[in-house]
Amino acid sequence: MPVHRSGTARRGPLTAAGILLSSLTLVLGFTGTSGAADTPARGSATLGMGVAAHDGVGGSPRDARAALATQTEGVDTSSHNGNVAWSTLWNSGVRWAYVKATEGTYYTNPYFAQQYNGSYNVGMIRGSYHFATPDTTSGAAQADYFVDHGGGWSRDGRTLPGALDIEWNPYGDACYGKSAAGMVGWIGDFVNEYRARTGRDAVIYTAASWWSQCTGNSAAFGSTDPLWIARYNTDPGTLPAGWGYYTMWQYTSSGPTVGDHSRFNGAYDRLQALANG
């Protein structure tokens, strides 16, 4: 990210080379040697990082909570959150968490152990998620990488099935260069391999507008894979085709302690049932 400095820096005399470099910086948008300012580094993607920009924000977390029936509060974390204050979250009423484990077949969360084990140790039901990059490797390869690096499942009553985060591409084309049929095929390869490896159907995290744009609003997964819908508003809105209800709803990226807060669509015992399979 660009470094913002307060005050006015002293400038030395301009040279021809300096003028040329400044001109190139303005034209190309360079902020350093790492590339364009608006392209994040690989591995930095998180659940819902494109939701506000593409779908907007309406209402407030307080409005969302007030409008809901029996629901159970949760959060999701990634390396951006560092070492998480799990006790603070537990004391605020958070009872479940999803932790980013992997992205593509090239990244693992360096804070995964603290976040995944820390949430469990404080009493939460927890799971892990994978940020999909369908333009880099196959769905099956990414499912294997996920399972091999923290995305597995165990019948301990405290582990949720792994989640596939499939949404806007932060590194390029929104649909990763795939047709709707190609995207549906890629997702199918991932969830089929995840089921073969773990015996569980993966949770699918997405936003309705992305799903419509990039899968043609496919109804292929609604009968098998629980839906985690992303919408930062007072209600979850129209759901993607195939799902008659949502299992989880990420309703804000600006909640307390950890910004991304979600609601499980049911009481705590139903959350336990999902963990138990």
Side-chain angles (χ1 to χ4, degrees):
M1 294 178 63
V3 177
H4 300 283
R5 297 179 175 89
S6 60
T8 302
R10 293 186 177 270
R11 299 179 183 274
L14 288 175
T15 64
I19 293 171
L20 177 60
L21 180 59
S22 297
S23 299
L24 284 172
T25 300
L26 289 172
V27 172
L28 298 177
F30 287 167
T31 59
T33 57
S34 60
D38 58 354
T39 302
R42 285 277 177 179
S44 63
T46 60
L47 275 166
M49 67 183 301
V51 172
H54 291 86
D55 284 354
V57 177
S60 71
R62 180 176 296 176
D63 297 333
R65 270 195 289 273
L68 297 173
T70 303
Q71 307 258 306
T72 307
E73 188 80 4
V75 297
D76 61 87
T77 65
S78 69
S79 63
H80 293 281
N81 302 109
N83 291 322
V84 174
W86 290 110
S87 295
T88 301
L89 285 165
W90 175 266
N91 292 336
S92 72
V94 174
R95 292 296 177 261
W96 59 275
Y98 265 98
V99 176
K100 182 178 180 180
T102 51
E103 177 177 321
T105 51
Y106 52 79
Y107 173 85
T108 58
N109 174 10
Y111 290 91
F112 180 78
Q114 192 277 343
Q115 296 175 357
Y116 192 68
N117 296 330
S119 55
Y120 183 92
N121 290 339
V122 82
M124 293 183 190
I125 297 176
R126 49 80 159 113
S128 55
Y129 79 86
H130 173 81
F131 191 93
T133 57
D135 57 342
T136 60
T137 44
S138 71
Q142 292 194 29
D144 284 331
Y145 187 80
F146 178 43
V147 172
D148 292 341
H149 295 85
W153 176 77
S154 60
R155 194 182 296 276
D156 60 3
R158 298 271 303 282
T159 303
L160 295 164
L164 172 65
D165 178 4
I166 186 80
E167 57 173 296
W168 295 277
N169 179 7
Y171 313 118
D173 176 73
C175 301
Y176 301 85
K178 291 192 174 295
S179 66
M183 184 63 74
V184 172
W186 191 95
I187 296 169
D189 287 344
F190 183 99
V191 298
N192 289 339
E193 181 67 7
Y194 188 81
R195 185 184 307 113
R197 290 289 305 273
T198 67
R200 295 300 307 270
D201 291 306
V203 173
I204 292 179
Y205 170 98
T206 196
S209 60
W210 183 91
W211 192 262
S212 180
Q213 176 186 354
C214 296
T215 74
N217 205 25
S218 171
F221 307 100
S223 63
T224 52
D225 299 273
L227 173 65
W228 188 357
I229 191 68
R231 187 171 188 257
Y232 302 158
N233 213 309
T234 56
D235 62 73
T238 301
L239 302 181
W243 284 284
Y245 60 92
Y246 64 89
T247 297
M248 289 166 277
W249 167 29
Q250 187 191 58
Y251 65 88
T252 185
S253 62
S254 57
T257 308
V258 169
D260 291 350
H261 279 241
S262 295
R263 302 288 275 182
F264 176 81
N265 192 12
Y268 185 75
D269 65 328
R270 303 319 303 154
L271 180 66
Q272 290 176 307
L274 177 63
N276 285 320

